[in-house]
Amino acid sequence: MFKVLVSDPISDLGIQQLVDADDVSVDKKPGLSEDELVAIIGEYDALLVRSQTRVTERIMDAGKQLKVVGRAGVGVDNIDLPAATERGIIVINAPDGNTITTCEHTFAMMMALARHIPQAYAKTINGIWDRKTFLGVELRNKKLGVLGMGRIGSEVASRAKAFGMEILAYDPFLTEDRANKLGVKLSSVEDIVRNADFMTVHTPLTPETRHMIAGPQFEIMKPGMRIVNCARGGIIDEQALVEAIDKGIVAGAAFDVFEVEPPEKDHPFLTNPKIIVTPHLGASTVEAQENVAIDVSEQVLHILRGEAFKNAVNMPPVPGDVLNKLQPYFSLGERLGSFAAQLAHGAVEEITVSYSGDLADVDTQPLTRYVVKGVLSHHLGSDQVNLVNAMHLAKTRDLNIVVNKSTAHKGFTNLVTVTLRTQSEERLVAGTLLTGYGTRIVQIDKFPVDVSPEGNLILVKHNDKPGIIGRVGTLLGNNDVNIATMQVGRKLVGGAAIMVLTVDKAASKEVIAELVNLPDVNKAKEILLV
């Protein structure tokens, strides 16, 4: 008989299949302290939580029989994933359970925004019959810009089409072919900002997406834009949005999320008559709470019975001999993927991972997962991508994964090469492990280099001319950006070359723009590897 402990309030209907199972015994004990959990967890095979229980390494140490921890929801930041992986405990979540409810809340906000429903309601119940002030707009024949075409964004687009809206869609992994299948128009962020009537964001919050809609975007925005954010606070610059509303650029906004939650009492959103707010209700429906519990309960049952399962968020077991050979390359693989993703322009269509040397004789599938995770995490966020779901996420985005192997050493005992193909270009990054020096990037596109893959980097593409290094160094120094290391790669004297700078802190966008304006500098790009 398998024993399951439910330590947080979870829908009874959601766990009913566990209660009804002949080979499972369920105990519900919400509100336990860490000490109380440690005292009893040793007798359980599975633990079900929401967000209240923190599943620590100490708890898992005590859980000698623990096979699986199930999170009835998406985020797993309350669970020590490395500790679980080390102990062979599977951690699963329910990533699909909130999709429809968040999509529907987005549409509720969009309709409320279009027809001034909260404002009209407030006046009406206060005895003011005011029909003239609240002249709304129809959704039909309007252009809706959807930033982020994952599960939720795709559902929003599907429903918007039923309202007769034209969909302009942006996603870093959205290709022309997939856009056609979804019935949307592949667009850039700038296209959406300039041309859409409504805009809704459905991206994770990453360094790449933080303030992706800010002052520069509002300056070129189509007047009368209406903006909805039911994704994450911080994707849209809140202060810049208020200023855009005051200037008449944005007609109104509807936000379910804030940069800081709950917001301060004097937050400008709370008093602006053109902004509608709700307290992060995107996943707050009876059905969603039941769905996530049903999903995770089903997978827990599969795991306990030794059946196929999905939605694991930590690394699957790897044979010890393979792990010993690959583990030194895991960090390198993920950072090569992240580096390549930050270099590539356009929607990624194919990821090619090439292994040369001794690695060709090893099952490199676990290492390939790290590479793919690195590519996807840059755009989707590290909290959305893990070693188990990376391949699945790549498949859902029609990303082709190619693995090549060669026993030729190519100057190194082992060489890992990552090539990304987009609709417009191919970008290549290669790395290795050097005894005594650790992981190194040894090639970027056609240029040989020797760079440690960590921290803040600046990649400068330039013409190989005298004085260029001095000009770059002077500009950075004048902007208080200290250079730690510098590498220059070139193929021909006087031809195209690259410069890779390791700097002590991130350079601002303005500094990067100044670099591009230097004589003989063609491109400059900041790369962050963490």
Side-chain angles (χ1 to χ4, degrees), residues 391-408:
M391 293 302 190
H392 171 72
L393 291 175
K395 183 177 180 181
T396 61
R397 285 161 173 76
D398 294 332
L399 273 176
N400 189 34
I401 310 297
V402 179
V403 176
N404 296 322
K405 292 187 177 185
S406 170
T407 55

Side-chain angles (χ1 to χ4, degrees), residues 71-126:
R71 162 71 163 96
V74 180
V76 291
D77 54 337
N78 58 317
I79 302 170
D80 190 331
L81 291 182
T85 301
E86 184 178 341
R87 289 156 182 78
I89 299 171
I90 301 167
V91 179
I92 59 172
N93 67 348
D96 299 322
N98 297 336
T99 298
I100 299 303
T101 187
T102 305
C103 165
E104 290 185 354
H105 193 67
T106 298
F107 247 92
M109 297 289 268
M110 196 184 308
M111 293 295 293
L113 185 60
R115 302 303 295 269
H116 311 289
I117 291 173
Q119 298 92 330
Y121 169 78
K123 270 199 172 183
T124 304
I125 64 171
N126 283 303

Side-chain angles (χ1 to χ4, degrees), residues 1 36 89 120 133 143 178 189 198 286 336 389 399 418 428 438 481 500 510:
M1 177 73 72
E36 290 170 328
I89 299 171
T133 300
K143 293 180 179 178
R178 183 164 177 261
V189 174
F198 288 79
V286 172
L336 288 176
N389 70 7
L399 273 176
V418 179
L428 179 151
V481 179
V500 186
E510 291 76 16

